[in-house]
Amino acid sequence: MSDEKGTVRYWYDGFSFGKRKDIYNPWSITKYLDTGEYGTYWADTSGNMLISNLIRRSPAKIKTEMEDLLNGRVICTELDEQVIFEQLGRKRGAIWSLMLASGYLKVDRYEMDNRTGKRQYDLKVTNHETMLMFEQMIEDWFTEEDSAYGNFKDALLAGDLDYMNQFMNQVALQTFSSFDTGGKPSEELEPERFYHGFVLGLIVDLAGKYRITSNRESGFGRYDVVMEPLKENLDAIVMEFKVQNTSKEKSLEETVEHALRQIQEKQYDTELLARGITKERIRHYGFAFRGKKVLIGN
């Protein structure tokens, strides 16, 4: 099975102990050799309820860092190897210390401040198996609202703004906290990024129908989300997220118009047009937020 080495490395490599790297997950390796099929064998042996609950209850900064990890990027943080259980929900970096110790994250590189002796670590998801585990964990967050969740995706593809607005406002009111959504476009909590990440989570399993990209350059700026169809019978979708600036915008309707105008002025369609998708097959959605109130327009 030596011709499978590259794929095996992609799925199960990435662990390290001290300076020893390229350590594979033995349970998943033996299961793969036994079955001849790739799967999340090790990830499926444990419950991830603690990590799931910590992420869901965490401040917006943790959620946006989680978004970075799921997009294959690294996050920079301090770690505390002596963290105790009661500190997990409130001590900075505690959740990343737990996830590193559990094998879900790995150290990409680190550097030490010679003055303070503190170390800053660049962390990333360990391998493809753990990436799939995180994606499944986030998808499971919506199982209680599975029907409504599926209806949101259908409404997005069909352009049903009424249902999209109803769903988003219901979830925002029942689930989101003020720490997640903030109240100002410029404050440290970055509510735009929180909603951005939430919507990405809603559409993640449309990847079979769309090439979904986020925060990429196109035209004269960086769009929030672009959904490029993989089939000719589907429309492309460009999304822009805006928190209402109450000093300039009197209503969420004005914020939506601002988001849609930015898509046009920055020419975010450029990448799609270059790929041969006609203007008639590109839809624009503006998402406007003020605390737990949401308005979507096109």
Side-chain angles (χ1 to χ4, degrees), residues 279-293:
K279 199 76 173 175
E280 294 73 24
R281 289 182 57 208
I282 302 176
R283 282 190 270 146
H284 297 163
Y285 287 109
F287 287 69
F289 312 105
R290 183 181 66 245
K292 296 185 181 183
K293 291 186 178 181

Side-chain angles (χ1 to χ4, degrees), residues 39-52:
T40 53
Y41 299 113
W42 169 68
D44 290 343
T45 62
S46 65
N48 303 302
M49 185 62 68
L50 173 61
I51 289 176
S52 176

Side-chain angles (χ1 to χ4, degrees), residues 38-168:
Y38 294 100
T40 53
Y41 299 113
W42 169 68
D44 290 343
T45 62
S46 65
N48 303 302
M49 185 62 68
L50 173 61
I51 289 176
S52 176
N53 287 339
L54 286 171
I55 294 173
R56 293 183 74 172
R57 296 199 306 264
S58 65
K61 180 174 174 57
I62 296 293
K63 292 185 174 77
T64 54
E65 288 177 328
M66 192 69 208
E67 179 192 345
D68 288 338
L69 289 170
L70 291 173
N71 282 321
R73 295 191 286 267
V74 300
I75 62 169
C76 183
T77 184
E78 293 181 5
L79 296 175
D80 183 356
E81 295 184 13
Q82 310 302 322
V83 67
I84 59 177
F85 188 83
E86 66 175 14
Q87 296 174 331
L88 287 174
R90 54 186 172 82
K91 189 170 183 179
R92 175 175 168 77
I95 187 171
W96 308 129
S97 301
L98 172 66
M99 291 166 66
L100 177 66
S102 304
Y104 299 140
L105 299 179
K106 64 181 178 180
V107 176
D108 191 53
R109 59 179 295 274
Y110 73 88
E111 60 183 23
M112 186 174 72
D113 186 321
N114 292 327
R115 186 183 68 82
T116 64
K118 293 182 178 180
R119 295 182 179 186
Q120 287 285 332
Y121 293 85
D122 287 346
L123 304 179
K124 64 191 305 184
V125 175
T126 304
N127 52 35
H128 186 59
E129 180 182 26
T130 49
M131 180 70 81
L132 291 178
M133 182 208 76
F134 284 127
E135 290 178 0
Q136 183 60 53
M137 180 182 73
I138 292 172
E139 188 173 323
D140 288 345
W141 292 350
F142 301 100
T143 53
E144 296 175 2
E145 298 286 343
D146 190 51
S147 176
Y149 165 51
N151 290 342
F152 174 84
K153 293 182 294 183
D154 293 340
L156 173 66
L157 300 185
D160 185 347
L161 289 175
D162 288 340
Y163 185 84
M164 291 167 63
N165 277 287
Q166 175 188 336
F167 174 85
M168 286 293 292

